């Protein structure tokens, strides 16, 4: 009987040790999806961070990954607004963390990318938290040929009228 209890205790300890650690920092992007045209920069992406643990955390870095060729991200805002900031136990903070730009060569489509924020403090340390962001790229705004023709005809008419006077 003791051996069975000991074996069950050992199995329970191994199961607890094998359970994945839950990130002490959780965050959501706002908005998580943005729509913008080829050649344009999306409005800045913000995030709300929540420290779910009992210890203070310090923001230590950001990584943007999974970007398709033609989609670039600039994380300067993270370093300006958040890097090195501490977040107390149970506290939350909202900050603007990056912008993204679609080149003209990027085909109109929906693209998913990842953002990972690293922090120190808590257990394990360092650790990170992840979120997915979605860019919906539309075609670049190009005037229709009919619109260009009408505008040209109107300008030509103004020019001829002015010349007659």
């Amino acid at each position: 009987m003791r051996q069975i209890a000991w074996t069950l205790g050992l199995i329970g300890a191994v199961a607890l040790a094998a359970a994945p650690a839950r990130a002490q920092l959780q965050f959501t992007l706002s908005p998580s999806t943005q729509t913008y045209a080829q050649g344009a920069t999306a409005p800045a992406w913000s995030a709300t961070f929540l420290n779910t643990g009992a210890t203070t955390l310090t923001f230590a870095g950001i990584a943007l990954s999974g970007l398709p060729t033609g989609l670039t991200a600039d994380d300067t805002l993270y370093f300006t607004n958040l890097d090195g900031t501490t977040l107390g136990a149970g506290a939350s903070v909202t900050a603007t963390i990056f912008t993204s730009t679609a080149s003209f060569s990027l085909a109109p489509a929906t693209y998913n990318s990842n953002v990972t924020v690293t922090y120190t403090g808590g257990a394990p340390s360092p650790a990170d938290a992840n979120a997915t962001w979605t860019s919906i790229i539309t075609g670049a705004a190009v005037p229709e040929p009919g619109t260009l023709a009408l505008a040209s005809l109107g300008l030509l008419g103004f020019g001829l009228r002015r010349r007659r006077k």
Side-chain angles (χ1 to χ4, degrees), residues 53-87:
T55 58
T56 298
L57 304 177
T58 303
F59 290 94
I62 187 171
L64 300 159
S65 60
L67 281 75
T69 302
L71 184 64
T72 58
D74 181 359
D75 58 11
T76 303
L77 292 169
Y78 166 85
F79 291 100
T80 301
N81 298 330
L82 206 56
D83 197 49
T85 301
T86 58
L87 186 60

PDB file of all heavy atoms in Angstrom, residues 53-87:
ATOM      1  N   GLY A  53       1.179  37.568 -11.965  1.00  0.00           N
ATOM      2  CA  GLY A  53       1.923  36.925 -10.879  1.00  0.00           C
ATOM      3  C   GLY A  53       2.003  37.768  -9.625  1.00  0.00           C
ATOM      4  O   GLY A  53       1.387  38.825  -9.505  1.00  0.00           O
ATOM      5  N   ALA A  54       2.824  37.284  -8.682  1.00  0.00           N
ATOM      6  CA  ALA A  54       2.969  37.935  -7.380  1.00  0.00           C
ATOM      7  C   ALA A  54       4.269  38.724  -7.273  1.00  0.00           C
ATOM      8  O   ALA A  54       4.564  39.267  -6.222  1.00  0.00           O
ATOM      9  CB  ALA A  54       2.909  36.881  -6.277  1.00  0.00           C
ATOM     10  N   THR A  55       5.057  38.782  -8.356  1.00  0.00           N
ATOM     11  CA  THR A  55       6.318  39.518  -8.322  1.00  0.00           C
ATOM     12  C   THR A  55       6.330  40.591  -9.399  1.00  0.00           C
ATOM     13  O   THR A  55       5.612  40.510 -10.388  1.00  0.00           O
ATOM     14  CB  THR A  55       7.519  38.574  -8.547  1.00  0.00           C
ATOM     15  OG1 THR A  55       7.348  37.917  -9.805  1.00  0.00           O
ATOM     16  CG2 THR A  55       7.624  37.537  -7.451  1.00  0.00           C
ATOM     17  N   THR A  56       7.177  41.586  -9.209  1.00  0.00           N
ATOM     18  CA  THR A  56       7.316  42.672 -10.173  1.00  0.00           C
ATOM     19  C   THR A  56       8.110  42.187 -11.378  1.00  0.00           C
ATOM     20  O   THR A  56       9.089  41.458 -11.243  1.00  0.00           O
ATOM     21  CB  THR A  56       8.036  43.868  -9.516  1.00  0.00           C
ATOM     22  OG1 THR A  56       7.218  44.330  -8.443  1.00  0.00           O
ATOM     23  CG2 THR A  56       8.272  44.988 -10.501  1.00  0.00           C
ATOM     24  N   LEU A  57       7.670  42.606 -12.578  1.00  0.00           N
ATOM     25  CA  LEU A  57       8.345  42.255 -13.828  1.00  0.00           C
ATOM     26  C   LEU A  57       8.996  43.503 -14.417  1.00  0.00           C
ATOM     27  O   LEU A  57       8.548  44.621 -14.179  1.00  0.00           O
ATOM     28  CB  LEU A  57       7.337  41.714 -14.844  1.00  0.00           C
ATOM     29  CG  LEU A  57       6.490  40.534 -14.420  1.00  0.00           C
ATOM     30  CD1 LEU A  57       5.495  40.187 -15.525  1.00  0.00           C
ATOM     31  CD2 LEU A  57       7.366  39.346 -14.108  1.00  0.00           C
ATOM     32  N   THR A  58      10.022  43.288 -15.231  1.00  0.00           N
ATOM     33  CA  THR A  58      10.658  44.375 -15.968  1.00  0.00           C
ATOM     34  C   THR A  58      10.661  44.012 -17.438  1.00  0.00           C
ATOM     35  O   THR A  58      11.127  42.927 -17.809  1.00  0.00           O
ATOM     36  CB  THR A  58      12.112  44.601 -15.484  1.00  0.00           C
ATOM     37  OG1 THR A  58      12.086  44.868 -14.081  1.00  0.00           O
ATOM     38  CG2 THR A  58      12.752  45.767 -16.214  1.00  0.00           C
ATOM     39  N   PHE A  59      10.147  44.895 -18.303  1.00  0.00           N
ATOM     40  CA  PHE A  59      10.131  44.654 -19.739  1.00  0.00           C
ATOM     41  C   PHE A  59      11.564  44.652 -20.261  1.00  0.00           C
ATOM     42  O   PHE A  59      12.345  45.548 -19.949  1.00  0.00           O
ATOM     43  CB  PHE A  59       9.294  45.707 -20.461  1.00  0.00           C
ATOM     44  CG  PHE A  59       7.826  45.579 -20.180  1.00  0.00           C
ATOM     45  CD1 PHE A  59       7.232  46.311 -19.171  1.00  0.00           C
ATOM     46  CD2 PHE A  59       7.043  44.706 -20.912  1.00  0.00           C
ATOM     47  CE1 PHE A  59       5.881  46.186 -18.889  1.00  0.00           C
ATOM     48  CE2 PHE A  59       5.692  44.568 -20.644  1.00  0.00           C
ATOM     49  CZ  PHE A  59       5.112  45.310 -19.627  1.00  0.00           C
ATOM     50  N   ALA A  60      11.909  43.632 -21.073  1.00  0.00           N
ATOM     51  CA  ALA A  60      13.303  43.463 -21.476  1.00  0.00           C
ATOM     52  C   ALA A  60      13.520  43.335 -22.981  1.00  0.00           C
ATOM     53  O   ALA A  60      14.652  43.218 -23.418  1.00  0.00           O
ATOM     54  CB  ALA A  60      13.886  42.237 -20.778  1.00  0.00           C
ATOM     55  N   GLY A  61      12.478  43.337 -23.812  1.00  0.00           N
ATOM     56  CA  GLY A  61      12.705  43.241 -25.251  1.00  0.00           C
ATOM     57  C   GLY A  61      11.450  42.874 -26.018  1.00  0.00           C
ATOM     58  O   GLY A  61      10.431  42.503 -25.443  1.00  0.00           O
ATOM     59  N   ILE A  62      11.569  43.006 -27.332  1.00  0.00           N
ATOM     60  CA  ILE A  62      10.464  42.687 -28.229  1.00  0.00           C
ATOM     61  C   ILE A  62      11.026  42.030 -29.479  1.00  0.00           C
ATOM     62  O   ILE A  62      12.146  42.339 -29.910  1.00  0.00           O
ATOM     63  CB  ILE A  62       9.661  43.964 -28.600  1.00  0.00           C
ATOM     64  CG1 ILE A  62       8.403  43.604 -29.404  1.00  0.00           C
ATOM     65  CG2 ILE A  62      10.521  44.962 -29.332  1.00  0.00           C
ATOM     66  CD1 ILE A  62       7.452  44.782 -29.611  1.00  0.00           C
ATOM     67  N   ALA A  63      10.277  41.100 -30.035  1.00  0.00           N
ATOM     68  CA  ALA A  63      10.649  40.480 -31.307  1.00  0.00           C
ATOM     69  C   ALA A  63       9.386  40.361 -32.157  1.00  0.00           C
ATOM     70  O   ALA A  63       8.341  39.942 -31.668  1.00  0.00           O
ATOM     71  CB  ALA A  63      11.259  39.100 -31.081  1.00  0.00           C
ATOM     72  N   LEU A  64       9.496  40.758 -33.413  1.00  0.00           N
ATOM     73  CA  LEU A  64       8.392  40.655 -34.369  1.00  0.00           C
ATOM     74  C   LEU A  64       8.804  39.612 -35.394  1.00  0.00           C
ATOM     75  O   LEU A  64       9.854  39.737 -36.019  1.00  0.00           O
ATOM     76  CB  LEU A  64       8.129  42.013 -35.011  1.00  0.00           C
ATOM     77  CG  LEU A  64       7.752  43.090 -33.995  1.00  0.00           C
ATOM     78  CD1 LEU A  64       7.993  44.474 -34.542  1.00  0.00           C
ATOM     79  CD2 LEU A  64       6.309  42.938 -33.576  1.00  0.00           C
ATOM     80  N   SER A  65       7.995  38.572 -35.557  1.00  0.00           N
ATOM     81  CA  SER A  65       8.381  37.465 -36.435  1.00  0.00           C
ATOM     82  C   SER A  65       7.215  37.037 -37.313  1.00  0.00           C
ATOM     83  O   SER A  65       6.077  37.427 -37.094  1.00  0.00           O
ATOM     84  CB  SER A  65       8.859  36.282 -35.590  1.00  0.00           C
ATOM     85  OG  SER A  65       7.827  35.850 -34.722  1.00  0.00           O
ATOM     86  N   GLY A  66       7.548  36.218 -38.314  1.00  0.00           N
ATOM     87  CA  GLY A  66       6.529  35.706 -39.215  1.00  0.00           C
ATOM     88  C   GLY A  66       6.051  36.717 -40.237  1.00  0.00           C
ATOM     89  O   GLY A  66       4.995  36.534 -40.833  1.00  0.00           O
ATOM     90  N   LEU A  67       6.819  37.789 -40.434  1.00  0.00           N
ATOM     91  CA  LEU A  67       6.419  38.815 -41.398  1.00  0.00           C
ATOM     92  C   LEU A  67       6.697  38.324 -42.818  1.00  0.00           C
ATOM     93  O   LEU A  67       7.801  37.851 -43.105  1.00  0.00           O
ATOM     94  CB  LEU A  67       7.190  40.114 -41.163  1.00  0.00           C
ATOM     95  CG  LEU A  67       6.722  41.001 -40.026  1.00  0.00           C
ATOM     96  CD1 LEU A  67       7.118  40.423 -38.687  1.00  0.00           C
ATOM     97  CD2 LEU A  67       7.301  42.375 -40.187  1.00  0.00           C
ATOM     98  N   PRO A  68       5.734  38.449 -43.717  1.00  0.00           N
ATOM     99  CA  PRO A  68       5.990  38.073 -45.101  1.00  0.00           C
ATOM    100  C   PRO A  68       6.914  39.104 -45.748  1.00  0.00           C
ATOM    101  O   PRO A  68       7.016  40.239 -45.288  1.00  0.00           O
ATOM    102  CB  PRO A  68       4.599  38.109 -45.749  1.00  0.00           C
ATOM    103  CG  PRO A  68       3.860  39.122 -44.935  1.00  0.00           C
ATOM    104  CD  PRO A  68       4.383  38.976 -43.535  1.00  0.00           C
ATOM    105  N   THR A  69       7.595  38.697 -46.822  1.00  0.00           N
ATOM    106  CA  THR A  69       8.439  39.633 -47.554  1.00  0.00           C
ATOM    107  C   THR A  69       7.579  40.783 -48.057  1.00  0.00           C
ATOM    108  O   THR A  69       6.539  40.568 -48.649  1.00  0.00           O
ATOM    109  CB  THR A  69       9.110  38.914 -48.747  1.00  0.00           C
ATOM    110  OG1 THR A  69       9.862  37.813 -48.231  1.00  0.00           O
ATOM    111  CG2 THR A  69      10.014  39.850 -49.505  1.00  0.00           C
ATOM    112  N   GLY A  70       8.009  41.998 -47.761  1.00  0.00           N
ATOM    113  CA  GLY A  70       7.243  43.170 -48.174  1.00  0.00           C
ATOM    114  C   GLY A  70       6.477  43.816 -47.037  1.00  0.00           C
ATOM    115  O   GLY A  70       5.955  44.918 -47.185  1.00  0.00           O
ATOM    116  N   LEU A  71       6.378  43.144 -45.891  1.00  0.00           N
ATOM    117  CA  LEU A  71       5.743  43.728 -44.714  1.00  0.00           C
ATOM    118  C   LEU A  71       6.842  43.953 -43.683  1.00  0.00           C
ATOM    119  O   LEU A  71       7.527  43.020 -43.288  1.00  0.00           O
ATOM    120  CB  LEU A  71       4.664  42.814 -44.144  1.00  0.00           C
ATOM    121  CG  LEU A  71       3.857  43.369 -42.969  1.00  0.00           C
ATOM    122  CD1 LEU A  71       3.040  44.584 -43.399  1.00  0.00           C
ATOM    123  CD2 LEU A  71       2.933  42.308 -42.407  1.00  0.00           C
ATOM    124  N   THR A  72       7.037  45.201 -43.285  1.00  0.00           N
ATOM    125  CA  THR A  72       8.066  45.518 -42.304  1.00  0.00           C
ATOM    126  C   THR A  72       7.416  46.067 -41.044  1.00  0.00           C
ATOM    127  O   THR A  72       6.316  46.621 -41.089  1.00  0.00           O
ATOM    128  CB  THR A  72       9.073  46.555 -42.844  1.00  0.00           C
ATOM    129  OG1 THR A  72       8.359  47.737 -43.224  1.00  0.00           O
ATOM    130  CG2 THR A  72       9.828  46.014 -44.042  1.00  0.00           C
ATOM    131  N   ALA A  73       8.103  45.899 -39.933  1.00  0.00           N
ATOM    132  CA  ALA A  73       7.605  46.412 -38.662  1.00  0.00           C
ATOM    133  C   ALA A  73       8.715  47.210 -37.993  1.00  0.00           C
ATOM    134  O   ALA A  73       9.895  46.843 -38.072  1.00  0.00           O
ATOM    135  CB  ALA A  73       7.157  45.264 -37.771  1.00  0.00           C
ATOM    136  N   ASP A  74       8.337  48.288 -37.358  1.00  0.00           N
ATOM    137  CA  ASP A  74       9.271  49.157 -36.651  1.00  0.00           C
ATOM    138  C   ASP A  74       8.909  49.149 -35.171  1.00  0.00           C
ATOM    139  O   ASP A  74       7.846  49.627 -34.781  1.00  0.00           O
ATOM    140  CB  ASP A  74       9.184  50.576 -37.221  1.00  0.00           C
ATOM    141  CG  ASP A  74      10.138  51.545 -36.561  1.00  0.00           C
ATOM    142  OD1 ASP A  74      10.880  51.134 -35.633  1.00  0.00           O
ATOM    143  OD2 ASP A  74      10.151  52.720 -36.958  1.00  0.00           O
ATOM    144  N   ASP A  75       9.807  48.589 -34.346  1.00  0.00           N
ATOM    145  CA  ASP A  75       9.540  48.459 -32.913  1.00  0.00           C
ATOM    146  C   ASP A  75      10.114  49.606 -32.073  1.00  0.00           C
ATOM    147  O   ASP A  75      10.198  49.509 -30.850  1.00  0.00           O
ATOM    148  CB  ASP A  75      10.057  47.122 -32.394  1.00  0.00           C
ATOM    149  CG  ASP A  75      11.549  46.929 -32.621  1.00  0.00           C
ATOM    150  OD1 ASP A  75      12.234  47.897 -32.999  1.00  0.00           O
ATOM    151  OD2 ASP A  75      12.028  45.804 -32.426  1.00  0.00           O
ATOM    152  N   THR A  76      10.468  50.712 -32.704  1.00  0.00           N
ATOM    153  CA  THR A  76      11.016  51.862 -31.985  1.00  0.00           C
ATOM    154  C   THR A  76      10.080  52.325 -30.873  1.00  0.00           C
ATOM    155  O   THR A  76      10.525  52.717 -29.790  1.00  0.00           O
ATOM    156  CB  THR A  76      11.280  53.027 -32.966  1.00  0.00           C
ATOM    157  OG1 THR A  76      12.147  52.567 -33.987  1.00  0.00           O
ATOM    158  CG2 THR A  76      11.897  54.214 -32.260  1.00  0.00           C
ATOM    159  N   LEU A  77       8.771  52.282 -31.107  1.00  0.00           N
ATOM    160  CA  LEU A  77       7.812  52.732 -30.101  1.00  0.00           C
ATOM    161  C   LEU A  77       7.877  51.896 -28.826  1.00  0.00           C
ATOM    162  O   LEU A  77       7.688  52.418 -27.717  1.00  0.00           O
ATOM    163  CB  LEU A  77       6.390  52.711 -30.673  1.00  0.00           C
ATOM    164  CG  LEU A  77       6.128  53.746 -31.762  1.00  0.00           C
ATOM    165  CD1 LEU A  77       4.793  53.476 -32.447  1.00  0.00           C
ATOM    166  CD2 LEU A  77       6.159  55.138 -31.178  1.00  0.00           C
ATOM    167  N   TYR A  78       8.168  50.599 -28.949  1.00  0.00           N
ATOM    168  CA  TYR A  78       8.328  49.762 -27.753  1.00  0.00           C
ATOM    169  C   TYR A  78       9.480  50.290 -26.903  1.00  0.00           C
ATOM    170  O   TYR A  78       9.356  50.442 -25.689  1.00  0.00           O
ATOM    171  CB  TYR A  78       8.576  48.294 -28.134  1.00  0.00           C
ATOM    172  CG  TYR A  78       9.066  47.485 -26.952  1.00  0.00           C
ATOM    173  CD1 TYR A  78       8.167  46.935 -26.051  1.00  0.00           C
ATOM    174  CD2 TYR A  78      10.422  47.304 -26.712  1.00  0.00           C
ATOM    175  CE1 TYR A  78       8.603  46.226 -24.943  1.00  0.00           C
ATOM    176  CE2 TYR A  78      10.870  46.606 -25.608  1.00  0.00           C
ATOM    177  CZ  TYR A  78       9.957  46.073 -24.737  1.00  0.00           C
ATOM    178  OH  TYR A  78      10.398  45.379 -23.628  1.00  0.00           O
ATOM    179  N   PHE A  79      10.606  50.552 -27.556  1.00  0.00           N
ATOM    180  CA  PHE A  79      11.783  51.005 -26.818  1.00  0.00           C
ATOM    181  C   PHE A  79      11.577  52.401 -26.235  1.00  0.00           C
ATOM    182  O   PHE A  79      12.103  52.714 -25.168  1.00  0.00           O
ATOM    183  CB  PHE A  79      13.029  50.938 -27.703  1.00  0.00           C
ATOM    184  CG  PHE A  79      13.411  49.515 -28.006  1.00  0.00           C
ATOM    185  CD1 PHE A  79      13.081  48.942 -29.214  1.00  0.00           C
ATOM    186  CD2 PHE A  79      14.043  48.740 -27.056  1.00  0.00           C
ATOM    187  CE1 PHE A  79      13.399  47.617 -29.483  1.00  0.00           C
ATOM    188  CE2 PHE A  79      14.364  47.409 -27.299  1.00  0.00           C
ATOM    189  CZ  PHE A  79      14.045  46.845 -28.526  1.00  0.00           C
ATOM    190  N   THR A  80      10.782  53.223 -26.886  1.00  0.00           N
ATOM    191  CA  THR A  80      10.488  54.556 -26.375  1.00  0.00           C
ATOM    192  C   THR A  80       9.501  54.501 -25.207  1.00  0.00           C
ATOM    193  O   THR A  80       9.663  55.203 -24.207  1.00  0.00           O
ATOM    194  CB  THR A  80       9.885  55.433 -27.490  1.00  0.00           C
ATOM    195  OG1 THR A  80      10.812  55.499 -28.565  1.00  0.00           O
ATOM    196  CG2 THR A  80       9.559  56.826 -27.000  1.00  0.00           C
ATOM    197  N   ASN A  81       8.485  53.650 -25.310  1.00  0.00           N
ATOM    198  CA  ASN A  81       7.377  53.667 -24.359  1.00  0.00           C
ATOM    199  C   ASN A  81       7.412  52.620 -23.258  1.00  0.00           C
ATOM    200  O   ASN A  81       6.705  52.776 -22.259  1.00  0.00           O
ATOM    201  CB  ASN A  81       6.049  53.508 -25.115  1.00  0.00           C
ATOM    202  CG  ASN A  81       5.798  54.628 -26.081  1.00  0.00           C
ATOM    203  OD1 ASN A  81       6.235  55.745 -25.869  1.00  0.00           O
ATOM    204  ND2 ASN A  81       5.098  54.329 -27.157  1.00  0.00           N
ATOM    205  N   LEU A  82       8.190  51.528 -23.423  1.00  0.00           N
ATOM    206  CA  LEU A  82       8.013  50.411 -22.496  1.00  0.00           C
ATOM    207  C   LEU A  82       9.297  49.761 -22.006  1.00  0.00           C
ATOM    208  O   LEU A  82       9.342  49.325 -20.856  1.00  0.00           O
ATOM    209  CB  LEU A  82       7.131  49.363 -23.180  1.00  0.00           C
ATOM    210  CG  LEU A  82       6.322  48.445 -22.299  1.00  0.00           C
ATOM    211  CD1 LEU A  82       5.423  49.205 -21.347  1.00  0.00           C
ATOM    212  CD2 LEU A  82       5.478  47.522 -23.150  1.00  0.00           C
ATOM    213  N   ASP A  83      10.311  49.632 -22.835  1.00  0.00           N
ATOM    214  CA  ASP A  83      11.501  48.866 -22.468  1.00  0.00           C
ATOM    215  C   ASP A  83      12.100  49.368 -21.155  1.00  0.00           C
ATOM    216  O   ASP A  83      12.283  50.565 -20.959  1.00  0.00           O
ATOM    217  CB  ASP A  83      12.545  48.952 -23.583  1.00  0.00           C
ATOM    218  CG  ASP A  83      13.595  47.875 -23.445  1.00  0.00           C
ATOM    219  OD1 ASP A  83      13.221  46.709 -23.262  1.00  0.00           O
ATOM    220  OD2 ASP A  83      14.799  48.207 -23.519  1.00  0.00           O
ATOM    221  N   GLY A  84      12.386  48.447 -20.243  1.00  0.00           N
ATOM    222  CA  GLY A  84      12.962  48.798 -18.947  1.00  0.00           C
ATOM    223  C   GLY A  84      11.937  49.207 -17.905  1.00  0.00           C
ATOM    224  O   GLY A  84      12.268  49.392 -16.740  1.00  0.00           O
ATOM    225  N   THR A  85      10.675  49.317 -18.290  1.00  0.00           N
ATOM    226  CA  THR A  85       9.608  49.695 -17.359  1.00  0.00           C
ATOM    227  C   THR A  85       9.279  48.508 -16.459  1.00  0.00           C
ATOM    228  O   THR A  85       9.283  47.361 -16.907  1.00  0.00           O
ATOM    229  CB  THR A  85       8.345  50.113 -18.142  1.00  0.00           C
ATOM    230  OG1 THR A  85       8.675  51.207 -18.980  1.00  0.00           O
ATOM    231  CG2 THR A  85       7.207  50.496 -17.227  1.00  0.00           C
ATOM    232  N   THR A  86       8.985  48.779 -15.186  1.00  0.00           N
ATOM    233  CA  THR A  86       8.574  47.710 -14.289  1.00  0.00           C
ATOM    234  C   THR A  86       7.054  47.683 -14.191  1.00  0.00           C
ATOM    235  O   THR A  86       6.378  48.703 -14.364  1.00  0.00           O
ATOM    236  CB  THR A  86       9.178  47.898 -12.883  1.00  0.00           C
ATOM    237  OG1 THR A  86       8.763  49.157 -12.371  1.00  0.00           O
ATOM    238  CG2 THR A  86      10.689  47.809 -12.920  1.00  0.00           C
ATOM    239  N   LEU A  87       6.550  46.504 -13.902  1.00  0.00           N
ATOM    240  CA  LEU A  87       5.109  46.297 -13.780  1.00  0.00           C
ATOM    241  C   LEU A  87       4.866  45.477 -12.523  1.00  0.00           C
ATOM    242  O   LEU A  87       5.276  44.318 -12.440  1.00  0.00           O
ATOM    243  CB  LEU A  87       4.566  45.578 -15.025  1.00  0.00           C
ATOM    244  CG  LEU A  87       3.059  45.401 -15.148  1.00  0.00           C
ATOM    245  CD1 LEU A  87       2.356  46.759 -15.163  1.00  0.00           C
ATOM    246  CD2 LEU A  87       2.713  44.626 -16.407  1.00  0.00           C
TER     247      LEU A  87
END
